[in-house]
Each structure stands twice: as C-alpha cells, then as structure tokens.
C-alpha cells in the first residue's frame, strides 16, 4: 500500500529541514525525501547565519535531521524522480529506489547545482580558495590578492563587489571580450582600483595545497591567492516542470513563479530555498522553509474545516 502523508518535502537541505521542523511541530505527518546533494557541500564553513557562523554545513544539516526526528518527521535517503497530481489535487511521488508515496501537499526544496567554468583546477579547489560569494567567504580572505574570472559580462559586478574586501583585485576577462564592457563598467573598475587583464585563463598555479597564481593562455602567470568565479546556476526544477508550474527566466536560470509564501502556480505546491531563486543563502532558505510550512499548515487546516462544514450541511 502507498504511504500517505500530509506533506512530502522533496529536498533535505536547509529549506527542506526548516519546513519539516515546522510541520512536525504542527503534528503533520511529514516525509522528507533527501538525495543528499546540498549546494554548499564544498564549503568547509557556512558564514553569516546568526549563532551558527562558522559552523560546518554537514554538522548544521545533521543537527537539523536530529531536530525533525524528535517531532516524528520521517526522512528517507532517496530521490524523487516523478510526481503526478491526481484528480483530487493531491500528489503521488515516485522514488528512485522504487515505490510511491502519496502527499496532500508538497514542499519542493531541490535547490540548484553550480556548473563551474571548465578551467583546470577550479573544480578541485572550489569552496576553498576558489570561491564565488563575498558574503560567504569575503571576511575570511580579506586583504589578499584576488582574481576574478570573467565568464559573463556580469562578472564585472562581481569584481566591483569583491573590491570591498581587498584593494588588490585583478579581473581576468577570460571568455569576455573587452568590447562587451561598457564605458560605465570601465570607469567603475578604474574607480575601484580593479586591474583588467584581457586574456584567457588556462589554469591555476598551486603550491602544495595553496593557490598561488593564475596562469594565462600565453603562459604568463599572475600571483593571486584567491580566485572568484561565477558558476552557471542550474536550477533543479524538473519536478516542478512536470507539475506544470510556471517558470520565470532570469539571468541565473529559470525559477518558479511564487507568491510571498513560496506558493507556486500549482495549487498545493510550495518552493523554498534555491529551488525558488539563485541568491537564497542558508539563512534565507531556513526562513523560506518556515514560511512555506506555516502557510501550508494553515491552508490544510481550513481546507479540512471547510470539508467538515460541507459534510455537516449535506
């Protein structure tokens, strides 16, 4: 027999666990389906989360799993590979390991994947001295020699932002032509003291276990101890697309159209965390999961009350 839950949360990262915590405390029978692919897995520490600043992401998620277990929330290490909305407006979720679970409502927190520029050495060092977010890591690498790898014209914005954490910043245009930079871009870069190098990056220079430079296609090297990159965001929206959720194209990929609570255009389906936007940090994901769960719980409560009233009047 198919197990039935009030809510199935698809994704066991910060947003999913936060939603599950609220739902468990609200006495909702809840299942979390966790494929174990958190976006911040490469990072040794998470930063900027009040009271948890510097905590390893693995420890943070492990504590979250312990918390939801105390409230009777179930968690399965599996992947949701399909979801179908039935005639009653509820959902059948198919799992990779086999079997199906039934949910009255869904919270989708499948996040996104960061697709890194194909430069040798970047993937191996990502999350250490190859980083992408100054708010996540800027304080830890402050005042060092920064490089910024330009893979799109938006990398100019990244170079300008990181100049707040170091006055030694070099922007390597890499695959961006000089002609793609506007006059305003060049004036702002000059005002920030950012050096612009119009050459493709061929690889990294590593000494022991430390980044020491950036090697260009012409063989020259620039001493750098930190390299900022801009990964291409790949939203994991496959399940939402199967349900017919409306998506909105952004410079960082297509994300579901949601209201202020995370409700998608599919009735009964909420999204939270990076499943609904590129810039959601851990603290935002926790908040989004909480908000979605609280709204969803109220919606279920009043749906049940209205159904009881209708039965009493029939």
């Amino acid at each position: 027999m198919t197990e039935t839950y009030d809510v199935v949360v698809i994704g066991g990262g910060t947003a999913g666990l936060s939603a599950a915590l609220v739902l468990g405390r609200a006495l909702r029978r809840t299942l979390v389906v966790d494929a174990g692919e958190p976006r911040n897995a490469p990072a040794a520490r998470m930063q900027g989360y009040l009271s948890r600043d510097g905590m390893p992401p693995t420890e943070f998620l492990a504590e979250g799993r312990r918390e939801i277990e105390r409230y009777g929330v179930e968690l399965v290490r599996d992947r949701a590979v399909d979801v179908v909305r039935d005639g009653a407006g509820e959902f059948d979720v198919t799992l990779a390991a086999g079997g199906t679970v039934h949910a009255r409502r869904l919270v989708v927190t499948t996040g996104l994947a960061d697709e890194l520029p194909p430069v040798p050495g970047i993937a191996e060092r990502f999350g250490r001295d190859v980083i992408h977010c100054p708010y996540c890591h800027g304080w830890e690498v402050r005042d060092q020699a920064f490089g910024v790898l330009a893979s799109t014209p938006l990398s100019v914005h990244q170079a300008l932002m990181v100049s707040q954490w170091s006055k030694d910043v070099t922007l390597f245009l890499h695959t961006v032509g000089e002609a793609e930079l506007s006059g305003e871009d060049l004036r702002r870069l000059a005002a920030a003291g950012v050096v612009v190098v119009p050459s493709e990056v061929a690889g990294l220079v590593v000494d022991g276990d430390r980044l020491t430079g950036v090697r260009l296609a012409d063989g020259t090297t620039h001493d750098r101890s930190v390299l900022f990159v801009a990964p291409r965001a790949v939203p994991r929206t496959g399940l939402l697309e199967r349900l017919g959720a409306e998506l909105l194209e952004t410079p960082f990929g297509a994300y579901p159209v949601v209201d202020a609570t995370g409700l998608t255009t599919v009735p009964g389906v909420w999204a939270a965390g990076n499943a609904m936007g590129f810039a959601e940090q851990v603290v935002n994901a926790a908040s989004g999961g909480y908000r979605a769960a609280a709204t969803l719980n109220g919606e279920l409560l009043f749906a049940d009350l209205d159904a009881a009233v209708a039965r009493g009047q029939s």
Side-chain angles (χ1 to χ4, degrees):
M1 293 179 62
T2 299
E3 290 285 335
T4 296
Y5 295 87
D6 289 318
V7 185
V8 170
V9 179
I10 304 176
T14 301
L17 293 177
S18 178
L21 179 63
V22 173
L23 292 164
R25 287 176 54 82
L27 307 177
R28 292 294 180 188
R29 190 175 189 219
T30 303
L31 174 70
V32 177
V33 180
D34 181 18
E37 297 174 344
R39 184 188 181 193
N40 62 356
R45 301 281 186 272
M46 65 178 204
Q47 316 292 163
Y49 194 122
L50 189 64
S51 83
R52 294 296 180 265
D53 186 65
M55 188 176 189
T58 52
E59 290 183 17
F60 180 77
L61 293 178
E63 180 58 31
R65 289 190 288 270
R66 285 190 289 269
E67 288 182 358
I68 66 170
E69 185 179 12
R70 291 203 295 267
Y71 296 102
V73 174
E74 299 175 44
L75 184 145
V76 59
R77 289 291 194 176
D78 207 337
R79 184 186 304 277
V81 294
D82 197 13
V83 58
V84 177
R85 189 164 183 253
D86 66 20
E90 298 184 352
F91 306 92
D92 291 313
V93 181
T94 302
L95 304 181
T100 301
V101 292
H102 186 80
R104 298 179 64 196
R105 301 293 185 270
L106 292 179
V107 180
V108 178
T109 62
T110 44
L112 61 82
D114 287 310
E115 188 176 278
L116 297 168
V119 173
I122 281 184
E124 293 80 2
R125 307 202 66 79
F126 188 57
R128 298 157 66 191
D129 40 28
V130 175
I131 53 183
H132 76 289
C133 171
Y135 291 106
C136 302
H137 306 289
W139 194 89
E140 284 69 32
V141 299
R142 66 196 183 283
D143 300 326
Q144 297 185 41
F146 289 179
V148 178
L149 182 74
S151 51
T152 77
L154 292 174
S155 297
V156 170
H157 176 78
Q158 187 178 40
L160 294 172
M161 286 295 299
V162 304
S163 70
Q164 183 173 339
W165 283 265
S166 173
K167 298 308 176 188
D168 183 2
V169 180
T170 298
L171 174 63
F172 300 99
L173 291 186
H174 191 49
T175 57
V176 177
E178 287 184 88
E180 297 180 68
L181 273 59
S182 68
E184 183 178 51
D185 288 336
L186 294 171
R187 288 189 291 273
R188 284 177 169 172
L189 289 166
V194 176
V195 175
V196 179
V197 176
S199 182
E200 186 174 349
V201 172
L204 307 182
V205 181
V206 178
D207 183 4
D209 193 33
R210 185 170 61 90
L211 176 69
T212 59
V214 173
R215 187 177 71 256
L216 304 183
D218 62 10
T220 61
T221 63
H222 289 252
D223 293 342
R224 299 287 95 184
S225 54
V226 178
L227 182 65
F228 283 86
V229 299
R232 186 176 79 88
V234 183
R236 297 187 179 117
T237 54
L239 296 176
L240 291 169
E241 292 179 59
R242 287 185 182 86
L243 289 168
E246 182 182 349
L247 302 181
L248 177 66
E249 287 289 344
T250 78
F252 306 103
Y255 296 89
V257 174
V258 296
D259 69 7
T261 73
L263 178 63
T264 71
T265 55
V266 180
V269 180
W270 277 258
N274 285 135
M276 59 167 281
F278 168 79
E280 298 296 287
Q281 303 285 1
V282 177
V283 67
N284 306 117
S287 173
Y290 190 111
R291 185 180 300 111
T295 306
L296 181 161
N297 179 66
E299 193 260 2
L300 272 177
L301 172 65
F302 284 97
D304 289 344
L305 291 173
D306 289 346
V309 169
R311 288 193 299 272
Q313 293 175 342
S314 61

